[in-house]
Amino acid sequence: MLARQRQTAILDLIRQRGGVRVSHLVSRFGVSDMTIRRDLEALAERGLVDKVHGGATLAGPGSAEEPGFAAKSIRQQAEKRAIAERAATMVEPGMAIALSAGTTTAALATLLSDVRGLTVVTNSIPVADALYQDPRADQTVVLTGGIRTPSDALTGPVAEAAISALNVDLLFLGVHGLSPRTGFTTPNLLEAGVNRCLIGAARRLVVLADHSKWETIGIATIAPLEAADVLIIDSGLPTEARTTIGEQVGELVIVEVG
């Protein structure tokens, strides 16, 4: 297969799945890791894909374009893990918490199996799956019903009604983007409504976002930056952004990645 033909096939795969890993492409096309990386570089130079750690995703999403969960899961993996580890220190035995949909909240879910007497409310299928992998008899997982989105969130009136009847100590909220002008945003209108219900059900709001979310804007605002009691973000956040955000959120927590 010629390089141009392989690149076209790779692009078709990325369009179908939202994102691909280099390891998968190496296996699929029977070529070297370096060859695949050159292919992705060529596609990126043409503005067709964005290279991310370990793979590539479709380039340049608009404010209403929502990447799938699999595509988002290969972005900023180390940053998301560091953020999740810091967030896990806030969870205490006997708490009732909520986890919104998102790859960082899903990473947090994998760290909660040892917390005694924990109740977790979520509208995320991957979050619920992570908690079911190693279930504890003294933990309760409440998964809302609703309409499934590309990011594997459950949304709509069924999800909103379920959440509105509950009260939790902490909400860990994943977001698509954040900026001073638009606040915390999402590319999915239905998901915005569910996230607002989650905020209304929580005593404290903890937002989890890696530095790539800074100045990324989705079509729907979930809440202004001032609504966050805590924002946990990684050290890739620019210095000037730290000052701006620090003046608006209740507490800005910067985690090192390493």
Side-chain angles (χ1 to χ4, degrees):
M1 181 181 289
L2 297 175
R4 192 73 174 196
Q5 294 173 315
R6 188 174 55 250
Q7 290 164 16
T8 299
I10 290 171
L11 183 58
D12 287 341
L13 277 175
I14 295 174
R15 284 171 173 161
Q16 292 169 16
R17 303 183 179 191
V20 292
R21 293 183 181 276
V22 170
S23 58
H24 172 76
L25 296 175
V26 167
S27 175
R28 183 181 182 95
F29 293 101
V31 295
S32 69
D33 180 282
M34 186 59 66
T35 296
I36 291 299
R37 292 186 186 278
R38 283 198 296 265
D39 287 337
L40 295 179
E41 184 67 37
L43 291 170
E45 288 177 356
R46 292 160 58 194
L48 299 173
V49 306
D50 287 329
K51 292 179 65 181
V52 298
H53 180 70
T57 61
L58 277 179
S63 62
E65 185 172 341
E66 182 177 10
F69 185 89
K72 291 188 290 185
S73 67
I74 65 174
R75 300 175 179 174
Q76 284 76 45
Q77 292 175 314
E79 289 87 343
K80 291 172 182 178
R81 179 71 181 184
I83 291 166
E85 288 174 350
R86 176 61 179 84
T89 67
M90 302 179 67
V91 182
E92 300 176 359
M95 273 187 167
I97 67 171
L99 272 64
S100 77
T103 51
T104 310
T105 52
L108 172 57
T110 66
L111 304 175
L112 300 179
S113 61
D114 293 333
V115 183
R116 294 180 291 102
L118 185 65
T119 297
V120 180
V121 176
T122 186
N123 69 316
S124 166
I125 295 171
V127 165
D129 283 344
L131 291 163
Y132 285 136
Q133 291 300 313
D134 187 19
R136 287 180 60 109
D138 61 351
Q139 285 189 350
T140 301
V141 179
V142 180
L143 178 62
T144 71
I147 301 167
R148 187 172 181 171
T149 72
S151 59
D152 287 341
L154 298 174
T155 63
V158 172
E160 292 182 16
I163 294 164
S164 297
L166 303 172
N167 299 288
V168 297
D169 300 303
L170 295 175
L171 164 62
F172 294 98
L173 179 71
V175 297
H176 175 77
L178 64 149
S179 80
R181 181 176 66 85
T182 60
F184 301 111
T185 61
T186 172
N188 189 293
L189 293 171
L190 287 175
E191 199 163 342
V194 171
N195 285 339
R196 293 188 200 107
C197 288
L198 285 168
I199 292 172
R203 186 166 57 86
R204 299 187 72 206
L205 169 61
V206 182
V207 177
L208 311 180
D210 67 76
H211 71 275
S212 71
K213 307 298 177 67
W214 173 244
E215 292 293 7
T216 295
I217 298 173
I219 191 171
T221 293
I222 302 166
L225 298 186
E226 292 88 343
D229 295 292
V230 182
L231 170 61
I232 306 178
I233 197 165
D234 67 89
S235 54
L237 185 70
T239 301
E240 62 274 16
R242 300 183 191 194
T243 301
T244 301
I245 295 173
E247 292 172 350
Q248 298 187 58
V249 302
E251 179 184 1
L252 177 62
V253 177
I254 304 290
V255 297
E256 296 294 331
V257 180

